[in-house]
Short mmCIF file of all heavy atoms in Angstrom, two decimals:
data_model
loop_
_atom_site.label_atom_id
_atom_site.label_comp_id
_atom_site.label_asym_id
_atom_site.label_seq_id
_atom_site.Cartn_x
_atom_site.Cartn_y
_atom_site.Cartn_z
N MET A 33 168.22 -127.04 62.12
CA MET A 33 169.38 -126.47 62.89
C MET A 33 169.01 -126.58 64.36
O MET A 33 168.02 -126.17 64.76
CB MET A 33 169.48 -125.03 62.61
CG MET A 33 170.46 -124.31 63.26
SD MET A 33 170.71 -122.69 62.52
CE MET A 33 170.83 -121.73 63.91
N PRO A 34 169.97 -127.32 65.06
CA PRO A 34 169.62 -127.65 66.51
C PRO A 34 169.75 -126.29 67.28
O PRO A 34 170.64 -125.44 67.04
CB PRO A 34 170.72 -128.59 66.86
CG PRO A 34 171.76 -128.49 65.86
CD PRO A 34 171.15 -128.00 64.60
N ARG A 35 168.87 -126.21 68.32
CA ARG A 35 168.97 -125.04 69.25
C ARG A 35 169.65 -125.47 70.54
O ARG A 35 169.63 -126.70 70.87
CB ARG A 35 167.53 -124.65 69.57
CG ARG A 35 166.84 -124.03 68.47
CD ARG A 35 165.54 -123.52 68.96
NE ARG A 35 164.51 -124.10 68.21
CZ ARG A 35 163.25 -124.19 68.55
NH1 ARG A 35 162.80 -123.47 69.57
NH2 ARG A 35 162.35 -124.75 67.83
N PRO A 36 170.24 -124.60 71.27
CA PRO A 36 170.87 -124.84 72.58
C PRO A 36 169.80 -125.38 73.56
O PRO A 36 168.63 -124.91 73.52
CB PRO A 36 171.51 -123.62 73.04
CG PRO A 36 170.80 -122.59 72.25
CD PRO A 36 170.36 -123.12 70.92
N ILE A 37 170.13 -126.24 74.44
CA ILE A 37 169.23 -126.74 75.38
C ILE A 37 169.12 -125.77 76.59
O ILE A 37 170.14 -125.22 77.05
CB ILE A 37 169.65 -128.12 75.91
CG1 ILE A 37 169.57 -129.10 74.80
CG2 ILE A 37 168.85 -128.58 77.06
CD1 ILE A 37 170.10 -130.56 75.18
N HIS A 38 167.90 -125.49 77.01
CA HIS A 38 167.63 -124.50 78.12
C HIS A 38 168.21 -125.11 79.35
O HIS A 38 168.15 -126.42 79.59
CB HIS A 38 166.11 -124.34 78.22
CG HIS A 38 165.73 -123.26 79.22
ND1 HIS A 38 165.50 -123.67 80.54
CD2 HIS A 38 165.47 -122.01 79.03
CE1 HIS A 38 165.23 -122.45 81.13
NE2 HIS A 38 165.17 -121.52 80.31
N ARG A 39 168.69 -124.32 80.24
CA ARG A 39 169.27 -124.90 81.58
C ARG A 39 168.40 -125.70 82.32
O ARG A 39 168.88 -126.70 82.96
CB ARG A 39 169.85 -123.75 82.39
CG ARG A 39 171.06 -123.06 81.76
CD ARG A 39 171.45 -121.87 82.59
NE ARG A 39 171.88 -122.28 83.90
CZ ARG A 39 172.26 -121.47 84.79
NH1 ARG A 39 172.22 -120.22 84.72
NH2 ARG A 39 172.66 -121.86 86.05
N GLY A 40 167.10 -125.37 82.35
CA GLY A 40 166.20 -126.19 83.05
C GLY A 40 165.59 -127.35 82.44
O GLY A 40 164.79 -128.12 83.08
N THR A 41 165.88 -127.70 81.23
CA THR A 41 165.33 -128.72 80.54
C THR A 41 165.62 -130.11 81.14
O THR A 41 164.71 -130.92 81.27
CB THR A 41 165.75 -128.81 78.97
OG1 THR A 41 165.38 -127.54 78.36
CG2 THR A 41 165.12 -129.87 78.26
N LEU A 42 166.82 -130.45 81.51
CA LEU A 42 167.19 -131.73 82.16
C LEU A 42 166.57 -131.91 83.41
O LEU A 42 165.89 -132.91 83.70
CB LEU A 42 168.73 -131.85 82.08
CG LEU A 42 169.25 -133.15 82.71
CD1 LEU A 42 168.87 -134.33 81.89
CD2 LEU A 42 170.73 -133.20 82.97
N ALA A 43 166.66 -130.87 84.29
CA ALA A 43 165.95 -130.99 85.58
C ALA A 43 164.57 -131.20 85.47
O ALA A 43 163.92 -131.92 86.19
CB ALA A 43 166.46 -129.82 86.43
N GLY A 44 163.87 -130.26 84.67
CA GLY A 44 162.41 -130.35 84.48
C GLY A 44 161.99 -131.63 83.89
O GLY A 44 160.92 -132.21 84.34
N GLY A 45 162.74 -132.09 82.89
CA GLY A 45 162.36 -133.42 82.33
C GLY A 45 162.45 -134.54 83.34
O GLY A 45 161.65 -135.46 83.32
N LEU A 46 163.50 -134.60 84.11
CA LEU A 46 163.76 -135.59 85.12
C LEU A 46 162.56 -135.61 86.16
O LEU A 46 161.91 -136.61 86.55
CB LEU A 46 165.07 -135.39 85.85
CG LEU A 46 165.34 -136.39 86.90
CD1 LEU A 46 165.59 -137.80 86.37
CD2 LEU A 46 166.62 -135.97 87.68
N LEU A 47 162.22 -134.45 86.70
CA LEU A 47 161.16 -134.29 87.70
C LEU A 47 159.80 -134.64 87.07
O LEU A 47 159.00 -135.19 87.73
CB LEU A 47 161.08 -132.76 88.18
CG LEU A 47 162.26 -132.42 89.15
CD1 LEU A 47 162.26 -130.99 89.44
CD2 LEU A 47 162.15 -133.32 90.35
N PHE A 48 159.55 -134.30 85.73
CA PHE A 48 158.28 -134.62 85.16
C PHE A 48 158.16 -136.14 84.99
O PHE A 48 157.13 -136.63 85.39
CB PHE A 48 158.32 -133.93 83.65
CG PHE A 48 156.99 -134.03 83.03
CD1 PHE A 48 155.92 -133.18 83.40
CD2 PHE A 48 156.85 -134.86 81.98
CE1 PHE A 48 154.76 -133.26 82.77
CE2 PHE A 48 155.68 -134.91 81.27
CZ PHE A 48 154.57 -134.05 81.64
N GLY A 49 159.25 -136.87 84.66
CA GLY A 49 159.19 -138.19 84.55
C GLY A 49 159.11 -139.00 85.86
O GLY A 49 158.31 -139.92 85.98
N VAL A 50 159.76 -138.41 86.84
CA VAL A 50 159.52 -139.06 88.20
C VAL A 50 158.04 -138.90 88.59
O VAL A 50 157.51 -139.76 89.29
CB VAL A 50 160.51 -138.39 89.25
CG1 VAL A 50 160.15 -138.69 90.63
CG2 VAL A 50 161.92 -138.76 88.90
N GLY A 51 157.53 -137.71 88.35
CA GLY A 51 156.07 -137.49 88.83
C GLY A 51 155.15 -138.48 88.07
O GLY A 51 154.27 -138.98 88.76
N TRP A 52 155.41 -138.72 86.82
CA TRP A 52 154.61 -139.65 86.09
C TRP A 52 154.77 -141.02 86.65
O TRP A 52 153.81 -141.87 86.83
CB TRP A 52 154.95 -139.67 84.59
CG TRP A 52 154.21 -138.74 83.72
CD1 TRP A 52 153.32 -137.71 84.16
CD2 TRP A 52 154.03 -138.80 82.32
NE1 TRP A 52 152.78 -137.23 83.17
CE2 TRP A 52 153.10 -137.83 81.97
CE3 TRP A 52 154.60 -139.61 81.36
CZ2 TRP A 52 152.85 -137.49 80.67
CZ3 TRP A 52 154.23 -139.41 80.07
CH2 TRP A 52 153.35 -138.34 79.77
N ALA A 53 155.99 -141.39 86.95
CA ALA A 53 156.38 -142.75 87.47
C ALA A 53 155.73 -142.94 88.85
O ALA A 53 155.21 -144.08 89.14
CB ALA A 53 157.78 -142.98 87.56
N LEU A 54 155.67 -142.00 89.70
CA LEU A 54 155.10 -142.05 91.01
C LEU A 54 153.65 -142.08 91.07
O LEU A 54 153.08 -142.82 91.80
CB LEU A 54 155.71 -140.89 91.95
CG LEU A 54 157.14 -140.94 92.34
CD1 LEU A 54 157.50 -139.74 93.18
CD2 LEU A 54 157.40 -142.23 93.22
N SER A 55 153.02 -141.30 90.21
CA SER A 55 151.52 -141.23 90.19
C SER A 55 150.95 -142.30 89.25
O SER A 55 149.81 -142.71 89.42
CB SER A 55 151.03 -139.89 89.67
OG SER A 55 151.44 -139.73 88.25
N GLY A 56 151.73 -142.83 88.36
CA GLY A 56 151.17 -143.88 87.41
C GLY A 56 150.15 -143.32 86.42
O GLY A 56 149.52 -144.05 85.79
N SER A 57 150.23 -141.91 86.31
CA SER A 57 149.39 -141.42 85.25
C SER A 57 149.90 -140.00 84.77
O SER A 57 150.64 -139.34 85.47
CB SER A 57 147.96 -141.25 85.78
OG SER A 57 147.91 -140.26 86.80
N CYS A 58 149.51 -139.67 83.50
CA CYS A 58 149.85 -138.38 83.08
C CYS A 58 148.76 -137.39 83.48
O CYS A 58 147.72 -137.80 84.03
CB CYS A 58 149.88 -138.40 81.53
SG CYS A 58 148.36 -138.64 80.74
N PRO A 59 148.87 -136.07 83.39
CA PRO A 59 147.97 -135.16 83.86
C PRO A 59 146.54 -135.35 83.26
O PRO A 59 145.59 -135.17 84.10
CB PRO A 59 148.52 -133.72 83.48
CG PRO A 59 150.00 -133.96 83.41
CD PRO A 59 150.19 -135.47 82.93
N SER A 60 146.46 -135.62 82.02
CA SER A 60 145.12 -135.81 81.40
C SER A 60 144.42 -137.09 82.05
O SER A 60 143.14 -137.03 82.20
CB SER A 60 145.23 -136.01 79.91
OG SER A 60 146.02 -137.09 79.56
N ILE A 61 145.11 -138.11 82.26
CA ILE A 61 144.55 -139.32 82.81
C ILE A 61 144.07 -139.02 84.26
O ILE A 61 143.02 -139.47 84.81
CB ILE A 61 145.50 -140.53 82.81
CG1 ILE A 61 145.85 -140.88 81.42
CG2 ILE A 61 144.90 -141.70 83.59
CD1 ILE A 61 144.54 -141.30 80.58
N ALA A 62 144.81 -138.14 84.98
CA ALA A 62 144.51 -137.74 86.31
C ALA A 62 143.10 -137.04 86.34
O ALA A 62 142.28 -137.25 87.22
CB ALA A 62 145.50 -137.02 86.99
N ALA A 63 142.87 -136.19 85.34
CA ALA A 63 141.63 -135.55 85.16
C ALA A 63 140.55 -136.52 84.90
O ALA A 63 139.41 -136.39 85.54
CB ALA A 63 141.64 -134.47 84.06
N VAL A 64 140.79 -137.56 84.09
CA VAL A 64 139.78 -138.56 83.85
C VAL A 64 139.48 -139.42 85.15
O VAL A 64 138.36 -139.67 85.39
CB VAL A 64 140.16 -139.51 82.82
CG1 VAL A 64 139.26 -140.68 82.63
CG2 VAL A 64 140.28 -138.72 81.45
N GLN A 65 140.52 -139.75 85.84
CA GLN A 65 140.35 -140.37 87.14
C GLN A 65 139.46 -139.61 88.13
O GLN A 65 138.67 -140.21 88.87
CB GLN A 65 141.74 -140.74 87.75
CG GLN A 65 142.59 -141.75 87.01
CD GLN A 65 143.93 -141.96 87.61
OE1 GLN A 65 144.45 -141.06 88.21
NE2 GLN A 65 144.47 -143.14 87.27
N LEU A 66 139.82 -138.35 88.16
CA LEU A 66 138.98 -137.46 89.08
C LEU A 66 137.59 -137.51 88.66
O LEU A 66 136.64 -137.54 89.54
CB LEU A 66 139.50 -136.11 89.08
CG LEU A 66 139.04 -135.06 90.10
CD1 LEU A 66 139.30 -135.53 91.47
CD2 LEU A 66 139.60 -133.67 89.97
N GLY A 67 137.36 -137.42 87.34
CA GLY A 67 136.00 -137.33 86.83
C GLY A 67 135.22 -138.68 87.10
O GLY A 67 133.92 -138.66 87.32
N GLU A 68 135.97 -139.87 87.26
CA GLU A 68 135.41 -141.10 87.54
C GLU A 68 135.18 -141.25 89.05
O GLU A 68 134.60 -142.27 89.48
CB GLU A 68 136.21 -142.13 87.03
CG GLU A 68 136.12 -142.29 85.54
CD GLU A 68 137.01 -143.44 85.08
OE1 GLU A 68 138.04 -143.93 85.78
OE2 GLU A 68 136.84 -143.81 83.88
N GLY A 69 135.62 -140.28 89.80
CA GLY A 69 135.64 -140.42 91.25
C GLY A 69 136.70 -141.19 91.94
O GLY A 69 136.54 -141.58 93.08
N GLN A 70 137.81 -141.50 91.22
CA GLN A 70 138.88 -142.18 91.78
C GLN A 70 139.68 -141.30 92.68
O GLN A 70 140.18 -140.15 92.20
CB GLN A 70 139.74 -142.85 90.72
CG GLN A 70 138.96 -143.83 89.98
CD GLN A 70 139.98 -144.51 88.83
OE1 GLN A 70 141.16 -144.42 88.91
NE2 GLN A 70 139.32 -145.05 87.76
N LEU A 71 139.95 -141.65 93.83
CA LEU A 71 140.79 -140.82 94.78
C LEU A 71 142.22 -140.58 94.37
O LEU A 71 142.73 -139.49 94.57
CB LEU A 71 140.80 -141.56 96.09
CG LEU A 71 141.35 -140.72 97.35
CD1 LEU A 71 140.58 -139.39 97.54
CD2 LEU A 71 141.32 -141.44 98.54
N GLY A 72 142.81 -141.52 93.58
CA GLY A 72 144.21 -141.39 93.14
C GLY A 72 144.32 -140.28 92.21
O GLY A 72 145.32 -139.52 92.11
N GLY A 73 143.33 -139.80 91.38
CA GLY A 73 143.28 -138.71 90.51
C GLY A 73 143.44 -137.39 91.24
O GLY A 73 144.05 -136.44 90.92
N LEU A 74 142.75 -137.37 92.47
CA LEU A 74 142.76 -136.14 93.29
C LEU A 74 144.18 -135.86 93.80
O LEU A 74 144.66 -134.86 93.76
CB LEU A 74 141.75 -136.30 94.46
CG LEU A 74 141.76 -135.15 95.40
CD1 LEU A 74 141.24 -133.86 94.76
CD2 LEU A 74 140.73 -135.48 96.53
N PHE A 75 144.82 -137.02 94.22
CA PHE A 75 146.21 -136.92 94.76
C PHE A 75 147.07 -136.44 93.69
O PHE A 75 148.00 -135.67 93.91
CB PHE A 75 146.69 -138.20 95.47
CG PHE A 75 145.98 -138.45 96.65
CD1 PHE A 75 145.32 -139.71 96.84
CD2 PHE A 75 146.08 -137.69 97.76
CE1 PHE A 75 144.69 -139.92 98.07
CE2 PHE A 75 145.48 -137.89 98.93
CZ PHE A 75 144.81 -139.07 99.03
N THR A 76 146.94 -136.97 92.47
CA THR A 76 147.87 -136.59 91.34
C THR A 76 147.63 -135.16 90.99
O THR A 76 148.59 -134.41 90.80
CB THR A 76 147.59 -137.50 90.09
OG1 THR A 76 147.72 -138.79 90.42
CG2 THR A 76 148.40 -137.11 88.99
N ILE A 77 146.44 -134.66 90.86
CA ILE A 77 146.15 -133.29 90.53
C ILE A 77 146.75 -132.40 91.68
O ILE A 77 147.26 -131.33 91.37
CB ILE A 77 144.66 -133.07 90.25
CG1 ILE A 77 144.32 -133.72 88.94
CG2 ILE A 77 144.43 -131.56 90.13
CD1 ILE A 77 142.96 -133.70 88.50
N ALA A 78 146.55 -132.82 92.90
CA ALA A 78 147.03 -132.00 93.96
C ALA A 78 148.62 -131.98 93.90
O ALA A 78 149.19 -130.87 94.20
CB ALA A 78 146.66 -132.66 95.30
N GLY A 79 149.26 -133.08 93.57
CA GLY A 79 150.62 -133.10 93.29
C GLY A 79 151.10 -132.16 92.25
O GLY A 79 152.24 -131.57 92.33
N ILE A 80 150.33 -132.15 91.14
CA ILE A 80 150.71 -131.20 89.96
C ILE A 80 150.78 -129.71 90.54
O ILE A 80 151.63 -128.95 90.33
CB ILE A 80 149.76 -131.30 88.78
CG1 ILE A 80 149.87 -132.69 88.24
CG2 ILE A 80 149.83 -130.32 87.92
CD1 ILE A 80 148.83 -133.09 87.33
N PHE A 81 149.67 -129.29 91.19
CA PHE A 81 149.64 -127.97 91.68
C PHE A 81 150.70 -127.76 92.76
O PHE A 81 151.26 -126.66 92.74
CB PHE A 81 148.20 -127.72 92.30
CG PHE A 81 147.22 -127.41 91.14
CD1 PHE A 81 146.19 -128.34 90.89
CD2 PHE A 81 147.18 -126.21 90.48
CE1 PHE A 81 145.33 -128.14 89.83
CE2 PHE A 81 146.24 -125.88 89.44
CZ PHE A 81 145.39 -126.96 89.14
N ALA A 82 150.89 -128.72 93.57
CA ALA A 82 151.98 -128.51 94.68
C ALA A 82 153.38 -128.44 94.04
O ALA A 82 154.17 -127.56 94.42
CB ALA A 82 151.91 -129.63 95.70
N GLY A 83 153.61 -129.25 93.00
CA GLY A 83 154.78 -129.12 92.34
C GLY A 83 155.07 -127.81 91.68
O GLY A 83 156.25 -127.31 91.65
N ASN A 84 154.07 -127.23 91.04
CA ASN A 84 154.18 -125.97 90.31
C ASN A 84 154.38 -124.89 91.37
O ASN A 84 155.27 -124.01 91.20
CB ASN A 84 152.95 -125.70 89.52
CG ASN A 84 152.86 -126.30 88.21
OD1 ASN A 84 153.88 -126.15 87.37
ND2 ASN A 84 151.87 -127.11 87.93
N TYR A 85 153.78 -124.92 92.49
CA TYR A 85 153.99 -123.84 93.61
C TYR A 85 155.38 -124.06 94.12
O TYR A 85 156.11 -123.02 94.29
CB TYR A 85 152.92 -124.14 94.64
CG TYR A 85 153.12 -123.24 95.86
CD1 TYR A 85 152.89 -121.97 95.73
CD2 TYR A 85 153.57 -123.72 96.98
CE1 TYR A 85 153.08 -121.04 96.72
CE2 TYR A 85 153.87 -122.91 98.11
CZ TYR A 85 153.58 -121.54 97.97
OH TYR A 85 153.79 -120.69 99.05
N LEU A 86 155.82 -125.24 94.33
CA LEU A 86 157.15 -125.46 94.95
C LEU A 86 158.20 -125.06 93.96
O LEU A 86 159.24 -124.49 94.34
CB LEU A 86 157.37 -126.91 95.47
CG LEU A 86 156.49 -127.34 96.63
CD1 LEU A 86 156.77 -128.81 96.96
CD2 LEU A 86 157.07 -126.57 97.81
N TYR A 87 158.04 -125.26 92.68
CA TYR A 87 158.90 -124.87 91.59
C TYR A 87 159.19 -123.38 91.71
O TYR A 87 160.29 -122.90 91.68
CB TYR A 87 158.46 -125.30 90.32
CG TYR A 87 159.38 -124.65 89.21
CD1 TYR A 87 160.58 -125.14 89.01
CD2 TYR A 87 158.99 -123.51 88.59
CE1 TYR A 87 161.44 -124.54 87.97
CE2 TYR A 87 159.80 -122.85 87.62
CZ TYR A 87 161.03 -123.40 87.31
OH TYR A 87 161.78 -122.78 86.42
N SER A 88 158.09 -122.64 91.91
CA SER A 88 158.24 -121.21 91.84
C SER A 88 159.05 -120.65 93.07
O SER A 88 159.96 -119.77 92.95
CB SER A 88 156.83 -120.48 91.84
OG SER A 88 156.16 -120.78 93.13
N ILE A 89 158.90 -121.36 94.18
CA ILE A 89 159.72 -120.95 95.40
C ILE A 89 161.19 -121.38 95.26
O ILE A 89 162.10 -120.60 95.45
CB ILE A 89 159.04 -121.68 96.60
CG1 ILE A 89 157.71 -121.13 96.91
CG2 ILE A 89 160.11 -121.48 97.82
CD1 ILE A 89 156.97 -121.87 97.99
N VAL A 90 161.41 -122.56 94.77
CA VAL A 90 162.88 -123.09 94.58
C VAL A 90 163.46 -122.24 93.51
O VAL A 90 164.71 -121.77 93.68
CB VAL A 90 162.87 -124.48 94.23
CG1 VAL A 90 164.09 -125.00 93.79
CG2 VAL A 90 162.37 -125.39 95.44
N HIS A 91 162.78 -121.97 92.38
CA HIS A 91 163.39 -121.14 91.26
C HIS A 91 163.75 -119.86 91.78
O HIS A 91 164.93 -119.33 91.47
CB HIS A 91 162.44 -121.09 90.17
CG HIS A 91 163.00 -120.41 88.93
ND1 HIS A 91 162.90 -118.97 88.85
CD2 HIS A 91 163.71 -120.79 87.93
CE1 HIS A 91 163.50 -118.66 87.75
NE2 HIS A 91 163.96 -119.71 87.19
N GLU A 92 162.90 -119.15 92.51
CA GLU A 92 163.16 -117.78 92.96
C GLU A 92 164.29 -117.80 93.92
O GLU A 92 165.07 -116.74 93.97
CB GLU A 92 161.91 -117.17 93.54
CG GLU A 92 162.07 -115.82 94.12
CD GLU A 92 162.29 -114.70 93.03
OE1 GLU A 92 161.77 -115.00 91.89
OE2 GLU A 92 162.91 -113.76 93.30
N ARG A 93 164.45 -118.71 94.79
CA ARG A 93 165.39 -118.62 95.81
C ARG A 93 166.80 -119.20 95.26
O ARG A 93 167.81 -118.64 95.67
CB ARG A 93 165.02 -119.66 96.91
CG ARG A 93 166.00 -119.61 98.10
CD ARG A 93 165.37 -120.17 99.23
NE ARG A 93 166.47 -120.04 100.38
CZ ARG A 93 166.06 -120.20 101.60
NH1 ARG A 93 164.92 -120.47 101.98
NH2 ARG A 93 167.10 -120.05 102.48
N TRP A 94 166.85 -120.16 94.52
CA TRP A 94 168.23 -120.73 94.16
C TRP A 94 168.65 -120.58 92.68
O TRP A 94 169.75 -120.52 92.40
CB TRP A 94 168.25 -122.29 94.56
CG TRP A 94 168.32 -122.47 95.98
CD1 TRP A 94 169.41 -122.05 96.83
CD2 TRP A 94 167.38 -123.04 96.88
NE1 TRP A 94 169.17 -122.39 98.25
CE2 TRP A 94 167.86 -123.00 98.19
CE3 TRP A 94 166.15 -123.56 96.68
CZ2 TRP A 94 167.25 -123.48 99.23
CZ3 TRP A 94 165.43 -124.06 97.75
CH2 TRP A 94 165.95 -123.99 98.96
N PHE A 95 167.67 -120.82 91.75
CA PHE A 95 168.15 -120.93 90.40
C PHE A 95 168.15 -119.49 89.62
O PHE A 95 169.13 -119.18 89.16
CB PHE A 95 167.31 -121.88 89.62
CG PHE A 95 167.30 -123.27 90.16
CD1 PHE A 95 166.23 -123.94 90.59
CD2 PHE A 95 168.60 -123.98 90.35
CE1 PHE A 95 166.29 -125.25 91.13
CE2 PHE A 95 168.69 -125.21 90.84
CZ PHE A 95 167.50 -125.82 91.26
N ARG A 96 167.02 -118.93 89.50
CA ARG A 96 166.92 -117.63 88.80
C ARG A 96 167.31 -117.56 87.42
O ARG A 96 167.80 -116.63 86.95
CB ARG A 96 167.60 -116.56 89.67
CG ARG A 96 167.04 -116.39 91.09
CD ARG A 96 167.60 -115.25 91.75
NE ARG A 96 167.11 -115.24 93.07
CZ ARG A 96 167.45 -114.46 94.08
NH1 ARG A 96 168.31 -113.47 93.72
NH2 ARG A 96 166.99 -114.48 95.19
N TRP A 97 167.25 -118.63 86.62
CA TRP A 97 167.57 -118.50 85.27
C TRP A 97 166.29 -118.24 84.48
O TRP A 97 165.29 -118.25 85.05
CB TRP A 97 168.14 -119.77 84.75
CG TRP A 97 167.40 -121.11 84.80
CD1 TRP A 97 166.19 -121.26 84.25
CD2 TRP A 97 167.67 -122.27 85.61
NE1 TRP A 97 165.75 -122.64 84.57
CE2 TRP A 97 166.66 -123.15 85.42
CE3 TRP A 97 168.79 -122.63 86.32
CZ2 TRP A 97 166.66 -124.50 86.01
CZ3 TRP A 97 168.69 -123.82 86.94
CH2 TRP A 97 167.63 -124.69 86.81
N SER A 98 166.45 -117.78 83.30
CA SER A 98 165.33 -117.30 82.51
C SER A 98 164.39 -118.47 82.27
O SER A 98 164.74 -119.59 81.98
CB SER A 98 165.84 -116.84 81.10
OG SER A 98 164.77 -116.63 80.24
N THR A 99 163.09 -118.16 82.48
CA THR A 99 162.00 -119.19 82.32
C THR A 99 161.32 -119.01 80.93
O THR A 99 160.32 -119.62 80.71
CB THR A 99 160.95 -118.97 83.27
OG1 THR A 99 160.40 -117.72 83.37
CG2 THR A 99 161.56 -119.42 84.69
N HIS A 100 161.95 -118.24 80.01
CA HIS A 100 161.39 -118.15 78.72
C HIS A 100 161.75 -119.38 77.85
O HIS A 100 162.52 -120.20 78.31
CB HIS A 100 161.96 -116.97 77.97
CG HIS A 100 161.68 -115.64 78.73
ND1 HIS A 100 160.42 -115.16 78.98
CD2 HIS A 100 162.51 -114.80 79.37
CE1 HIS A 100 160.37 -114.12 79.56
NE2 HIS A 100 161.68 -113.83 79.91
N SER A 101 161.11 -119.46 76.78
CA SER A 101 161.40 -120.68 75.85
C SER A 101 162.80 -120.78 75.32
O SER A 101 163.55 -119.71 75.50
CB SER A 101 160.37 -120.68 74.74
OG SER A 101 160.78 -119.80 73.80
N CYS A 102 163.10 -121.80 74.70
CA CYS A 102 164.46 -121.88 74.06
C CYS A 102 164.60 -121.13 72.91
O CYS A 102 165.70 -120.98 72.29
CB CYS A 102 164.75 -123.39 73.75
SG CYS A 102 164.88 -124.45 75.32
N ALA A 103 163.49 -120.71 72.30
CA ALA A 103 163.58 -119.99 71.00
C ALA A 103 164.31 -118.60 71.24
O ALA A 103 164.30 -117.97 72.18
CB ALA A 103 162.22 -119.82 70.52
N GLU A 104 164.98 -118.33 70.16
CA GLU A 104 165.73 -117.00 70.23
C GLU A 104 164.78 -115.74 70.13
O GLU A 104 163.76 -115.79 69.55
CB GLU A 104 166.64 -116.94 69.00
CG GLU A 104 167.73 -117.94 69.02
CD GLU A 104 168.58 -117.87 67.86
OE1 GLU A 104 168.39 -117.08 66.80
OE2 GLU A 104 169.66 -118.63 67.71
N ASP A 105 165.09 -114.77 70.98
CA ASP A 105 164.15 -113.61 70.98
C ASP A 105 164.44 -112.68 69.82
O ASP A 105 165.52 -112.49 69.31
CB ASP A 105 164.43 -112.84 72.27
CG ASP A 105 163.89 -113.66 73.52
OD1 ASP A 105 164.33 -114.83 73.66
OD2 ASP A 105 163.13 -113.15 74.28
#
């Protein structure tokens, strides 16, 4: 049985994909890169944290939809 799509799914998926495309790596690969001493991994991980921080600010100011999962309560 299909569930309704959460309001933030499309925007979140788009931003997530753009982040992967710009950094050229997923979060786990960024951790490996950082462990190997590659500077790119540091920038990717910094971007992950910056994106999470900015999301909280943008969500609080403009969106304010529920951040709970799509599952019914």
Side-chain angles (χ1 to χ4, degrees):
M33 179 166 136
R35 291 188 243 164
I37 294 177
H38 187 274
R39 289 178 64 182
T41 301
L42 182 60
L46 181 65
L47 289 173
F48 190 75
V50 167
W52 267 17
L54 290 175
S55 68
S57 67
C58 66
S60 61
I61 296 301
V64 171
Q65 290 173 339
L66 187 61
E68 290 179 344
Q70 295 181 22
L71 190 58
L74 181 62
F75 289 123
T76 302
I77 290 175
I80 290 168
F81 283 105
N84 279 304
Y85 176 72
L86 289 174
Y87 170 78
S88 68
I89 292 171
V90 169
H91 181 271
E92 180 65 29
R93 184 167 182 163
W94 287 294
F95 299 125
R96 297 184 187 180
W97 59 65
S98 171
T99 56
H100 300 297
S101 73
C102 296
E104 295 175 356
D105 292 52

